[in-house]
Amino acid sequence: MTSTGDERAADLADVLISVARKIAARADEDPGFVTLTPLESLVMRHIDKHPGITPSRIAAAVGLRTSNASAALRTLEAKGFITRESDPRDRRAVRIHPTPAAADNLRRVRRVWDTLLSPHLADPAATAEAVAFLTRLDDSLTS
């Protein structure tokens, strides 16, 4: 797929989606890995990066309706991946934290991803540059 002009961005998105699906499909290569739905993964990823976040901030940050975020939080809690704690400054508020089980699951999937992708990443500098670019892109699309 070769494009010029405005289509280059669409081509990038197309390839990113394809690669992401292929990577995600391999996560179950570790028999101890607990599979999450795409919604649960989205929410869990945000909680991992922002422990102690409130449910309403999770919903806003990942672009979900509060009811959908609440449903994902309930299933993550049932799977033992999050805890809810009262905010020490405002007892009415709840803070969400990842559990050790969530950290273990994340370690497992990252190990599978590393094994899968490492043979294809011969240039550490190019890999670091790609990660930096995609992180900036991710952050700019979240803002």
Side-chain angles (χ1 to χ4, degrees):
M1 189 178 316
T2 304
S3 298
T4 58
D6 294 341
E7 292 182 7
R8 287 180 292 177
D11 289 347
L12 175 63
D14 184 54
V15 171
L16 287 172
I17 290 167
S18 178
V19 170
R21 285 184 179 145
K22 290 171 184 172
I23 292 169
R26 302 285 293 271
D28 62 1
E29 289 182 1
D30 180 328
F33 176 72
V34 177
T35 303
L36 301 178
T37 67
L39 179 61
E40 291 167 350
S41 293
L42 177 69
V43 170
M44 196 67 236
R45 184 173 185 265
H46 198 74
I47 294 167
D48 283 331
K49 291 185 175 209
H50 306 281
I53 191 168
T54 64
S56 60
R57 291 217 176 197
I58 294 168
V62 299
L64 294 174
R65 291 184 179 153
T66 307
S67 60
N68 292 345
S70 294
L73 291 172
R74 279 192 301 277
T75 60
L76 289 168
E77 189 172 30
K79 289 178 180 183
F81 281 15
I82 63 164
T83 59
R84 299 171 192 257
E85 298 175 8
S86 294
D87 186 322
R89 293 182 301 259
D90 180 357
R91 292 289 179 195
R92 297 169 296 164
V94 173
R95 300 284 176 170
I96 307 296
H97 295 274
T99 65
D104 179 61
N105 210 51
L106 182 58
R107 273 190 301 278
R108 287 173 180 278
V109 75
R110 288 181 61 86
R111 189 171 34 242
V112 169
W113 292 346
D114 190 58
T115 301
L116 175 65
L117 296 179
S118 287
H120 306 283
L121 305 174
D123 182 351
T127 301
E129 187 177 330
V131 169
F133 165 73
L134 291 171
T135 299
R136 286 190 309 273
L137 180 61
D138 187 36
D139 291 345
S140 72
L141 295 173
T142 302
S143 303

